[in-house]
Amino acid sequence: MTKSIIFDMDGTLFQTNKILEISLSETFEYLRVKEGWEGETPIEKYREIMGVPLPVVWENLLPNYSNDVRIMANDFFHAKLIDNIYKGNGELYPNVTETFAYLKSNGYTIFVASNGLPEYLSAIVEYYKLNQWLTDVYSIQQIESQDKAELVRILVQKYNITGGALVGDRISDIRAAKSNGLLSIGCNFDFAQAEELQHADRIINDISELKSILEEGAFQIE
């Protein structure tokens, strides 16, 4: 049996809020100059929808703009996120590396499945040297449907995962876990919403709490 833990990235392993506001502010300042954006930067709106695929993000943040403008804004925002990662403005959540070390030493393979773009995920993995623990990183951009459950299904099939859990902070993570027969572990972190977390099998307030959950026994795909 291959024991595996699949993690979401934003709001689960990486404290996206550390770079979110500054990157979004830089993007909307750019939009004010280039596209005549008026009003405040919609940071709270972004927080509400955090975890959905990026095209949906920009449909919500720029509802009255063309798709070309949304793509331009997304590209600019993405570049700023990566820039801020390499400037050291971001941070992993407490106990991530310690928990990864525990998982590896106990025979678990570790994956990331995220709605983030590949270059963004690679920047986080590279900057924080996560490759020493991760077996693979999957981005929603790898599939046409933009459905996280399908993304996880592809990962599960490729690596013949027969037991484990999916750890994330939003409903898309919980649904992806359940549809693939994995234990769903909800992270009560920055972007989590109580009405979504209530659907998770377990809820944690710190990533280190995974240890006690996993020590209860193996998880079989039904």
Side-chain angles (χ1 to χ4, degrees), residues 168-192:
D169 64 321
R170 300 307 302 266
I171 192 66
S172 59
D173 302 305
I174 295 168
R175 289 171 176 164
K178 290 181 178 296
S179 67
N180 286 285
L182 301 169
L183 186 79
S184 62
I185 301 178
C187 298
N188 189 23
F189 300 169
D190 295 298
F191 302 108

Side-chain angles (χ1 to χ4, degrees), residues 64-134:
N64 300 319
Y65 286 80
S66 69
N67 194 50
D68 286 343
V69 172
R70 293 171 185 163
I71 292 172
M72 178 269 292
N74 180 64
D75 289 345
F76 188 90
F77 177 60
H78 186 230
K80 289 299 178 182
L81 287 173
I82 293 174
D83 184 50
N84 280 302
I85 290 167
Y86 284 116
K87 284 180 177 178
N89 292 328
E91 192 174 356
L92 298 177
Y93 279 98
N95 301 312
V96 166
T97 56
E98 294 86 350
T99 301
F100 277 9
Y102 164 82
L103 292 173
K104 289 291 285 187
S105 67
N106 283 273
Y108 285 88
T109 53
I110 307 171
F111 300 90
V112 165
S114 170
N115 285 337
L117 296 181
E119 296 86 353
Y120 168 74
L121 298 174
S122 294
I124 296 172
V125 169
E126 179 182 4
Y127 187 82
Y128 295 101
K129 298 178 173 60
L130 299 181
N131 266 334
Q132 60 187 302
W133 295 292
L134 295 175

